[in-house]
Amino acid sequence: MENEKDDLKTRHEHFMGIAYKLAVKSFEEGEIPIGAVIVKDSKVIARGRNKRNKSKNALDHAEMIAIKKACKVVGDWRLEGCDMYVTLLPCPMCAGAIVNARIENVFYGATSENENLFNQILLQSALNHKTAVTGGILSEKCTILLQNFFEHKRHK
């Protein structure tokens, strides 16, 4: 049982580590450092990172980019059996897309002031799909990256 927990923790940290590297790349490009990966059958099938400033498109959140790519890979808008790892708790727009795409699980690193709203969206009894959510995966590392980004912005 203990080995199973350790294996699961290692798996979550592995995939969040990939998302974290994407977030660092966004940081380096002056974007809010958020990275997301979508995993199916223990393999990364899509990656996304924040690109709103570069693309000048409000929809270019890491999660939205990853969902779009994953749908293309799977060949369907339904991403059943897929998990998302994202470095920051998703915003309300992304929460809606996650539910609509029928993603099974969301694992996130840093939390945000959107937590209550995020949970309200995912727990809506009227929705026909429920996504399980687990936070705190590499949370300190993800939080520090975000804090450093905003600290750097304030001093410019």
Side-chain angles (χ1 to χ4, degrees), residues 35-156:
V37 296
I38 296 181
V39 176
K40 184 172 178 77
D41 300 325
S42 298
K43 293 181 183 157
V44 174
I45 63 165
R47 300 165 193 254
R49 60 186 177 83
N50 226 24
K51 292 185 177 182
R52 289 185 309 172
N53 291 328
K54 184 177 182 179
S55 70
K56 307 296 186 226
N57 186 329
L59 302 178
D60 279 352
H61 289 211
E63 301 93 327
M64 301 295 277
I65 293 168
I67 288 170
K68 186 174 183 178
K69 288 178 179 180
C71 288
K72 193 170 188 172
V73 168
V74 170
D76 196 356
W77 61 270
R78 294 172 196 88
L79 297 178
E80 294 163 335
C82 292
D83 297 331
M84 177 182 280
Y85 290 82
V86 60
T87 57
L88 177 66
L89 179 82
C91 74
M93 175 183 71
C94 293
I98 287 164
V99 171
N100 281 317
R102 292 175 170 66
I103 292 174
E104 298 289 327
N105 299 289
V106 171
F107 302 96
Y108 68 90
T111 192
S112 77
E113 68 278 353
N114 289 325
E115 189 168 19
N116 287 336
L117 189 52
F118 177 77
N119 288 326
Q120 285 176 350
I121 292 167
L122 289 183
L123 300 175
Q124 274 295 328
S125 60
L127 298 175
N128 62 352
H129 176 74
K130 301 291 184 243
T131 298
V133 180
T134 304
I137 313 294
L138 298 182
S139 63
E140 186 175 343
K141 193 173 183 178
C142 294
T143 300
I144 289 169
L145 181 64
L146 284 159
Q147 289 171 341
N148 288 343
F149 174 80
F150 289 111
E151 182 71 24
H152 179 70
K153 283 288 201 194
R154 278 192 289 276
H155 285 84
K156 272 194 159 184

Side-chain angles (χ1 to χ4, degrees), residues 20-31 33 49 145:
Y20 180 82
K21 287 178 185 172
L22 293 166
V24 168
K25 188 160 177 75
S26 285
F27 181 104
E28 291 167 349
E29 293 180 0
E31 298 279 357
R49 60 186 177 83
L145 181 64

